[in-house]
Amino acid sequence: MIAKIKSCGLLGIDGYIVEVETDISNGMPAFDVVGLPDAAVKESRERVRSAMKNSELTFPQKRITVNLAPAHIRKEGPFYDLPICLGLLRSSGQLPGEEPDEYLFLGELSLNGTLRPVTGALPMVLCAAQAGIKKVILPQENALEAAVVTDVEVYPARTLGQIMAHFLSIERLKRVTVKVEDIFQKQATEGPDFSDVRGQESVKRALEVAAAGGHNVLLIGSPGSGKTMLAQRLPGILPQTTLAEALEITKVHSIAGLLPSDTSLITTRPFRSPHHTISAVGLSGGGQIPRPGEVSLSHNGVLFLDELPEFNKNALEVLRQPLEDGVVTISRVSATLTYPCRTMLVAAMNPCKCGYHGDPTRPCSCSDAQIHQYLSKISGPLLDRIDLHVEVLAVPYQELNSKTKGETSAVIRERVNEARRRQAMRFKDTPNIFCNAQMTTPMTDKFCALGETESQLMQSVFDSMGLSARAHNRILKVARTIADLADSETILTEHLAEAIQYRSLDRKYW
């Protein structure tokens, strides 16, 4: 008898339906799994055998063939254990009825028949909803993230025996539901606050502009000037996530296996700060078994690279295409995977090896050749992709010792949220565009039009600074964000001038 059980696989952050076909026939006992399975899928034979035996179910001593369709896509991971096992039970007549045809099954089996959690449950359940499948059975630990998909009934189970009892109507599984609105209301906003930072008002302003428009930032200054401290407080002023953004963030973390079992949806923007010894693969993603890198794990959030010149040059250069396109494409013989990476890059660095080049109070001990060698670790094309170049000067003692606190992160965040609301209205008819930094060239031409005076200013700056076309467009996007913060429908001269001064620092050091 041939049985068919629905399951799901992963390509990048998206799922695809896998039909597990099971055939039991007479002949010498054998257990073959076909359909391009990897080692983890092939090993499911022994897990399924032991799980059935220890759940007091009969393992058929016949010739067993399992096909994972479509057969041309390589199947990876242990989440086919449960559908293979149920396919055997249906083929051998131990699981009667047509009800299992209505379900999609996910889960890794332990040897005693308990279900272990799987990675990527959310994108696979979303795929089930798109395919018209209304019911899913999966491990208990994956229930909360799967229940975010309201179009699908989610039934968690702890053991294979519970699933059998469900279909034999001995004891039905209980459906799990979550309220997305309640999750967003519980969104945590605690963390380091901008009111803790003394002085540095110009840098705070630059970070506010960056947060309002999703722009990349480079902080450059001497040691101890507060670059890392300022960057760590950036999440506190980032705008609230939308449901679409939260789903994308959660999907990436679910696939990477970084989603806590008690979390159904990540509603706060990620802040990733990898060490400078990270490899190019660790930063961009990939590996023998492809998985998201740090740039994708910071999708819709912040990727903070402290001590930027200390990173491997190859690792930095691999960021050029993801920063421009918002996606990372990983090509393998079996498949080409795409991970999203629309992230804010925030980088911090010293102006030289000793750190005091250009410092007004402490002399620099580096030679001109050493300074040039240190700065040349950051290539021109990478600098061109960073919208705001901000100099962080040492804080004077009077400001450092002042008892007066600056604006709180909550106050700054409200202005950022207001600017993002204007951008949401502007891009309401454009999918996957959430902020000014993500505008395409035609959108920049449409929404960043300049008046005659502003055009003359832009032309003079373009010629005198030798700007590239990319830098020109990024200045316009930053000016659009500054105008949004000022509640201005058009880009005025003062908005454009502020945006231009954020591009002048690379001419000072490079």
Side-chain angles (χ1 to χ4, degrees), residues 291-348:
R291 57 170 290 151
E294 290 292 334
V295 69
S296 293
L297 291 171
S298 59
H299 177 59
N300 287 330
V302 175
L303 175 63
F304 177 50
L305 302 183
D306 202 4
E307 305 297 342
L308 186 65
E310 302 302 327
F311 282 78
N312 183 281
K313 191 173 181 64
N314 291 335
L316 292 181
E317 294 307 305
V318 84
L319 289 177
R320 285 158 57 172
Q321 180 264 337
L323 289 177
E324 193 73 13
D325 299 340
V327 294
V328 172
T329 302
I330 300 169
S331 296
R332 293 291 182 268
V333 174
S334 57
T336 298
L337 308 179
T338 300
Y339 296 114
C341 59
R342 290 194 304 271
T343 182
M344 276 182 62
L345 173 64
V346 179

Side-chain angles (χ1 to χ4, degrees), residues 199-317:
Q200 303 293 14
E201 297 304 321
S202 62
V203 185
K204 292 179 186 177
R205 167 63 179 177
L207 292 178
E208 179 181 339
V209 172
H215 302 289
N216 302 326
V217 187
L218 173 65
L219 304 176
I220 181 169
S222 56
S225 57
K227 302 184 295 296
T228 303
M229 183 180 186
L230 286 158
Q232 289 172 342
R233 280 151 180 76
L234 184 58
I237 66 170
L238 290 177
Q240 297 168 343
T241 55
T242 63
L243 177 58
E245 289 176 317
L247 283 172
E248 287 187 341
I249 295 169
T250 309
K251 285 167 68 175
V252 174
H253 282 73
S254 176
I255 289 167
L258 299 178
L259 187 67
S261 60
D262 59 347
T263 301
S264 55
L265 193 67
I266 298 177
T267 56
T268 55
R269 297 184 182 273
F271 182 87
R272 305 288 299 185
S273 180
H275 193 260
H276 63 260
T277 55
I278 191 172
S279 66
V281 171
L283 198 57
S284 65
Q288 187 173 3
I289 301 176
R291 57 170 290 151
E294 290 292 334
V295 69
S296 293
L297 291 171
S298 59
H299 177 59
N300 287 330
V302 175
L303 175 63
F304 177 50
L305 302 183
D306 202 4
E307 305 297 342
L308 186 65
E310 302 302 327
F311 282 78
N312 183 281
K313 191 173 181 64
N314 291 335
L316 292 181
E317 294 307 305

Side-chain angles (χ1 to χ4, degrees), residues 61-91:
Q61 298 297 326
K62 295 186 177 182
R63 183 169 185 81
I64 301 169
T65 304
V66 175
N67 178 44
L68 306 178
H72 67 282
I73 302 177
R74 187 166 184 81
K75 315 302 185 304
E76 298 174 341
F79 35 75
Y80 300 109
D81 289 6
L82 179 59
I84 289 174
C85 182
L86 294 176
L88 287 178
L89 291 169
R90 288 203 70 187
S91 292

